[in-house]
């Protein structure tokens, strides 16, 4: 037996012991008895059961740690927005009694995951299937929904479970739209062979070796029209061999790319070989006897029609609109079935929600708007997502971030469009550092970090698991080839020196320094930020690391990822624990899973929400090696990642509130369009759109981008002074409230209530917001408020001037006040970078403190906002939500704002004097104020939620978005 076969046999034995011990633990009905000691006893029993069948020794300690983690996992509840018009409830316990596909998939999952996670997946897939239609229902039906997960959080497991249940229920054709590239399609095919088919597909499409669920149930003779091979997609040639499908057959699986030729061949086959009827109104070929389930993986990519459909004066869609090719073909496939369900899966759903809910055309039928439901999935507690990676945003900076990010500053020459990998480079670019075709020191360090991570995992008993490093620095394949050669050379040089022991002092010293100064202390810091059961193991000694370095370096392979299926096949090879450095660009951007990802070296110019978030391959599950993970990227991209992660959280909160209020997906759409950060996505996802339509009801726009121009700063300060002077002396100074015994107070603040809207409108007319701001545009806000006033809303306001802080700057006396230099401090994105002072704008991360929205709320209304916040709140450990809220959220406050003081509604204008813009002059050790030393005036507006919201439109500067945020896909 080879060493690889021995490793595979040992891993299989350990898996069997863990699975058996898990069943023994699960059998205990009194959950209070499930302690580490109890688990260890069951592991000993399970080990004894297998002792006579194997010559290998079981690592019982590893089995115990694995099971302690599994039994401590938690998962929150999914949140659902739904529209049940024309839908009939049908999913009952009786219907599920004899299900086979799901039963064997559940058993398969329970051998690898905790019962809690499997139970959560069972419940979530029941929810989704129940919102689809009963496949045994004979009349026409069409259900379209969207499932929102987290990046790398297990969406494939979810739709695998949904497919199994749909097959059990009677869906006969299952189409999975699996990305744009061969490697992702092949990876998805292999995952479904493991979870649904139970066999490896072969070139001739006959069942091959049994895998996955085959071990947990009978062979269900399921058909697959596609295979795992590079050329295993559906095609004209394949279609010739497939004839009609009878309703009595087992279901057919199609895993296909979103590619014109593939979808065209599939559509033609359906219409010529499967259709059994003709539409009376337009002679379309129709399939009436076979219900269809279509799963759209990464549904916001390629599926969305980026051309803006025109609508007639009466609001009906222009039936002659020509959708983009992929969108058209997907819809035509759906339009060929009288009974069909479409479910999109994505972690970045905002393009899907921008789809017009009324969009429809003659040939394609309705657009893909998820009108039936949107489900927001919760992730298990051991998921590492943006909330854990980057922490929570507060007015004092980010709190609770894992210390795993490392700044890259040497990948290009500052101020020059040159260097190893400048932000903008042509496809002919040759990466050079210091005049040589070599990698920069930061990438050399990242490779060293990967070597140390691999060595530590080996010594922690994880040598039988895959370890990967991601290098993603350019979208051009030719430039990736240069990077690949340079990395191969760096690894080869390191391998030769350490394996041979010749000339190794320098590289060993670099590794030793990184080990002592980074890896050892970071282990303890990660432990402090993690629950006890997730604490990483103790670090081995440097001598132990040094001893395994030659073996580790011999195992490391460097591989380009170019979209071929072979890029993922090695992960599926039994007994082969890969240690791979994967170098790619867009082929790595979506869906493709890099097993055991430890180190990421990431430089991309895009700041587009969905594109950037999807590139976050480093999110996911890192059991036993989270402390070894590293993200090497630019400070600018970390800032944007934090920014969009916060925006995503805010919109998930919005969905939770709307679900509690029993609202529909259609009503959610306007909320997304109005978001101050995510509006950067919409113009590029709707490339023909010249205007953006939004509503501010229930939102809190805030100024986070500012002019540097001193004249404009003076104009905005004058506008603020004029407003305060017009409000008179009737302010409430330093407002405070009891709040159920815990006092809320705003020292140095001034509050005016019952302010006429005209004064707010005058302020907005005089204030100059930056033209590159998104939704916080003073003229658009002015128009929105004016329109709301015309409908009898927003007639009265509260205005608060918020002070505090210890910022430097000239004193300023606001009308009716006292001299003050106590301005609020908000960190700018570039406050320590003198080179950026020539820019015409600067930005801050966050303006408002969430409690500020309650500055004019009496205790009774405040408590009502708290009750609403708690009703919408769900525990979600993956999003750092573990304790029920003790204060209302901004969203909760805006929901009750219309009830303040008995008024029909009341807006709140918050005025913030910010510290003047500084940078540190190190040579003279003092702060320098570039041209402006008075307060910089910023504002936020809390708009009450409205049952009758008004929409406004504004022009979108497409060129600006392209220059500032980079390309979308």
């Amino acid at each position: 037996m080879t060493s690889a076969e021995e490793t595979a046999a040992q891993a299989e034995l350990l898996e069997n012991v863990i699975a058996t011990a898990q069943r023994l633990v699960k059998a205990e009905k009194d959950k209070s008895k499930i302690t580490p000691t109890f688990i260890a006893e069951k592991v000993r029993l399970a080990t004894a059961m297998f002792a006579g069948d194997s010559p290998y020794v079981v690592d019982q300690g590893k089995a115990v740690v694995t099971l302690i983690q599994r039994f401590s996992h938690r998962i929150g509840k999914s949140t659902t927005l739904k529209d049940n018009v024309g839908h009939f409830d049908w999913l009952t316990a009786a219907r599920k009694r004899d299900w086979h596909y799901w039963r064997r998939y559940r058993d398969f999952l329970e051998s690898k995951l905790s019962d809690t996670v499997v139970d959560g997946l069972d419940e979530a897939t029941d929810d989704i299937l129940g919102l689809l239609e009963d496949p045994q229902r004979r009349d026409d039906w069409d259900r379209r929904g969207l499932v929102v997960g987290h990046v790398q959080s297990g969406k494939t497991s979810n739709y695998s479970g949904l497919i199994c249940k749909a097959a059990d229920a009677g869906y006969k054709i299952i189409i999975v739209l699996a990305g744009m590239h061969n490697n992702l399609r092949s990876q998805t095919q292999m995952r479904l062979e493991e979870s649904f088919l139970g066999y490896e597909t072969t070139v001739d499409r006959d069942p091959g070796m049994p895998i996955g669920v085959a071990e947990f149930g009978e062979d269900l003779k399921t058909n697959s029209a596609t295979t795992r091979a590079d050329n295993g997609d559906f095609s004209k040639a394949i279609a010739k061999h497939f004839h009609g499908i009878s309703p009595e057959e087992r279901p057919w699986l199609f895993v296909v790319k979103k590619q014109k030729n593939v979808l065209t061949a599939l559509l033609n086959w359906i219409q010529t070989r499967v259709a059994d009827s003709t539409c009376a109104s337009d002679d379309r070929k129709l399939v009436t006897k076979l219900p269809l389930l279509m799963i759209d993986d990464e549904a916001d990519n390629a599926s969305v029609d980026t051309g803006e459909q025109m609508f007639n004066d009466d609001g009906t869609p222009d039936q002659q609109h020509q959708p983009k090719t992929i969108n058209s073909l997907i819809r035509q496939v759906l339009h060929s079935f009288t009974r069909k369900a479409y479910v999109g899966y994505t972690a970045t759903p905002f393009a899907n929600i921008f789809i017009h809910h009324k969009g429809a055309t003659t040939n394609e039928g309705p657009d893909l708007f998820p009108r039936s439901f949107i489900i927001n999935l919760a992730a298990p507690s051991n998921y590492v997502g943006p909330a854990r990676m980057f922490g929570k945003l507060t007015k004092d900076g980010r709190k609770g971030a894992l210390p795993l990010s490392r700044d890259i500053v040497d990948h290009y020459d500052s101020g020059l469009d040159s260097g190893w990998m400048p932000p903008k480079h042509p496809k002919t670019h040759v990466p050079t550092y210091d005049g040589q075709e070599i990698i920069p020191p930061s990438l050399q360090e990242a490779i060293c970090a990967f070597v140390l991570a691999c060595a530590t995992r080996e010594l922690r008993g994880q040598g039988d698991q895959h370890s990967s490093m991601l290098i993603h620095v350019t979208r051009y394949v030719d430039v990736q080839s240069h990077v690949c050669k340079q990395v191969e050379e760096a690894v080869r040089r390191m391998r030769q020196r350490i394996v041979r022991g010749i000339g190794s002092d320098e590289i060993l010293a670099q590794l030793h320094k990184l080990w002592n100064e980074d890896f050892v202390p970071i282990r303890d810091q990660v432990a402090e930020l993690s629950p006890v059961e997730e604490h990483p193991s103790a670090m081995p000694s440097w001598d132990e690391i040094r001893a395994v370095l030659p073996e580790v370096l011999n195992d490391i392979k460097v591989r380009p990822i170019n979209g071929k299926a072979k890029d993922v096949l090695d992960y599926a090879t039994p007994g082969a624990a890969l240690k791979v450095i994967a170098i790619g660009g867009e082929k790595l951007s979506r869906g493709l899973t890099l097993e055991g990802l430890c180190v990421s070296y990431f430089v991309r110019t895009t700041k587009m929400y969905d594109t950037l978030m999807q590139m976050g391959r480093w999110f996911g599950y890192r059991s036993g090696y989270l402390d070894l993970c590293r993200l090497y990227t630019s400070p600018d991209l970390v800032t944007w990642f934090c920014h969009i992660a916060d925006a995503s959280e805010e919109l998930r909160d919005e969905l939770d509130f709307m679900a509690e209020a029993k609202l529909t997906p259609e009503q959610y759409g306007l909320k997304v369009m109005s978001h101050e950060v995510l509006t950067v996505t919409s113009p590029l996802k709707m490339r023909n759109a010249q205007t953006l339509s939004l509503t501010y009801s229930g939102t809190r726009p805030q100024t986070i981008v500012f002019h540097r121009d001193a004249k404009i700063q003076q104009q905005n300060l004058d506008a603020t002074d004029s407003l305060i002077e017009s409000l008179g002396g009737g302010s409430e100074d330093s407002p405070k409230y009891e709040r159920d015994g815990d006092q809320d107070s705003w020292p140095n603040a001034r509050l005016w209530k019952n302010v006429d809207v005209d004064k707010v409108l005058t302020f907005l007319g005089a204030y100059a917001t930056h033209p590159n701001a998104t939704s916080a545009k003073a003229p658009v806000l002015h128009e929105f408020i004016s329109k709301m006033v015309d409908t009898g809303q927003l007639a009265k306001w509260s205005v608060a001037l918020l002070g505090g802080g210890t910022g430097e700057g000239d004193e300023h006396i606001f009308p009716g006040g006292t001299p003050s230099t106590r301005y609020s401090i908000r960190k700018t994105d570039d406050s320590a970078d003198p080179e950026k002072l020539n820019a015409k704008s600067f930005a801050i991360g966050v303006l408002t403190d969430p409690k500020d929205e309650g500055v004019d709320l009496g205790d009774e209304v405040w408590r009502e906002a708290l009750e609403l916040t708690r009703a919408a709140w769900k525990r979600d450990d993956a999003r750092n939500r573990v304790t029920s809220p003790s204060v209302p959220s901004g969203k909760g406050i805006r929901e009750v704002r219309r009830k303040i003081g008995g008024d029909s509604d009341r807006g709140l204008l918050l005025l913030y004097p910010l510290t003047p813009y500084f940078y540190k002059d190190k040579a003279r050790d003092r702060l320098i104020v570039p041209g402006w030393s008075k307060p910089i005036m910023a504002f936020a507006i809390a708009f009450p939620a409205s049952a009758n919201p008004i929409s406004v439109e504004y022009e979108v500067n497409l060129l600006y978005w392209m220059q500032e945020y980079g390309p979308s896909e």
Side-chain angles (χ1 to χ4, degrees), residues 723-932:
L723 170 63
I724 293 173
E725 188 168 22
S726 73
L727 298 176
S731 67
E732 179 183 338
D733 294 338
S734 301
K736 57 186 176 183
Y737 306 90
E738 287 308 312
R739 306 300 193 214
D740 291 332
D742 293 324
Q743 192 178 85
D744 258 357
S745 62
W746 287 263
N748 304 308
R750 297 164 66 188
L751 172 67
W752 293 264
K753 296 180 180 178
N754 294 313
V755 175
D756 287 338
V757 68
D758 290 345
K759 294 179 180 179
V760 174
L761 290 172
T762 300
F763 168 75
L764 291 173
Y767 187 101
T769 47
H770 197 279
N772 294 339
T774 51
S775 64
K777 289 178 175 287
V780 185
L781 290 163
H782 189 288
E783 181 185 358
F784 172 76
I785 294 170
S786 298
K787 287 186 174 182
M788 291 288 281
V789 170
D790 289 343
T791 65
Q793 303 178 77
L794 294 180
K796 293 293 183 180
W797 285 70
S798 297
V799 176
L801 174 66
L802 298 165
T806 56
E808 307 250 355
D810 294 347
E811 74 174 21
H812 180 74
I813 303 175
F814 290 102
T818 55
S820 176
T821 57
R822 294 178 61 79
Y823 307 138
S824 299
I825 295 175
R826 297 291 187 272
K827 187 177 183 299
T828 66
D829 284 348
D830 53 0
S831 59
D833 189 351
E835 291 183 8
K836 294 187 177 181
L837 284 173
N838 292 328
K840 294 181 179 179
S841 65
F842 69 94
I844 61 175
V846 64
L847 177 65
T848 62
D849 185 332
K851 83 163 189 173
D852 291 348
E853 292 191 51
V855 69
D856 63 336
L857 258 64
D859 290 339
E860 184 177 340
V861 179
W862 183 89
R863 280 192 291 273
E864 186 176 346
L866 178 57
E867 288 173 13
L868 275 178
T869 301
R870 286 174 171 165
W873 182 86
K874 293 177 174 60
R875 176 167 180 149
D876 192 338
D877 295 70
R879 294 164 64 197
N880 278 346
R881 293 163 176 264
V882 294
T883 56
S884 180
S886 59
V887 295
S889 66
K891 173 62 182 167
I893 292 173
R894 294 191 291 277
E895 287 291 320
V896 301
R897 181 158 286 286
R898 59 181 175 268
K899 302 179 182 180
I900 297 175
D903 295 336
S904 58
D905 64 355
R906 186 188 295 170
L908 171 66
L909 172 62
L910 297 164
L911 301 169
Y912 293 88
L914 303 186
T915 304
Y917 183 79
F918 297 93
Y919 74 91
K920 186 83 168 179
D921 182 348
K922 294 180 181 177
R924 287 174 285 180
D925 194 29
R926 65 189 183 89
L927 294 168
I928 294 178
V929 182
W932 182 255

Side-chain angles (χ1 to χ4, degrees), residues 7 11 14 62 66 454 457-458 460-468 571 576-579 595-596 622-625:
T7 300
L14 182 62
K62 186 175 180 180
T66 299
C454 291
R457 294 194 73 194
E458 196 79 40
R460 284 180 175 176
Q462 295 183 328
D464 58 342
Q465 299 177 30
H466 302 300
S467 295
S468 301
Y571 281 133
L578 273 184
K579 294 180 178 65
E595 303 281 353
R622 303 287 182 265
S623 180
Y625 65 102

Side-chain angles (χ1 to χ4, degrees), residues 607-727:
K607 296 173 187 171
M608 296 306 301
Y609 172 86
D610 38 15
T611 306
L612 190 55
M613 190 61 90
Q614 286 290 351
M615 291 174 182
R617 302 293 95 196
W618 48 83
F619 300 132
Y621 304 97
R622 303 287 182 265
S623 180
Y625 65 102
L626 176 60
D627 61 317
L628 309 178
C629 296
R630 298 292 182 270
L631 167 60
Y632 286 81
T633 192
S634 67
D636 194 37
L637 280 178
V638 167
T639 297
W640 270 93
F641 241 110
C642 294
H643 210 31
I644 60 182
D646 295 332
S648 176
E649 285 298 294
E650 201 167 310
L651 283 165
R652 287 179 189 272
D653 287 348
E654 187 79 54
L655 196 150
D656 291 342
F657 267 93
M658 296 184 79
E660 182 67 22
K662 304 293 189 290
L663 300 180
T664 67
E666 184 179 323
Q667 292 165 304
Y668 184 54
L670 269 177
K671 300 293 186 183
V672 177
M673 293 182 196
S674 303
H675 198 279
E676 60 206 18
V677 172
L678 296 183
T679 45
V680 303
T681 295
S682 61
L684 293 175
K685 285 295 184 183
M686 302 184 296
R687 286 179 176 80
N688 295 339
Q690 296 303 312
T691 59
L692 194 62
S693 177
L694 51 80
T695 179
Y696 286 107
S697 291
T699 69
R700 187 216 55 237
Q702 57 183 324
T703 51
I704 57 175
V705 181
F706 300 91
H707 293 274
R708 290 194 194 279
D709 190 296
K711 290 181 180 178
I712 294 176
Q713 294 299 347
Q714 185 66 60
Q715 174 185 336
N716 292 342
L717 185 56
D718 290 344
T720 306
D721 283 344
S722 296
L723 170 63
I724 293 173
E725 188 168 22
S726 73
L727 298 176

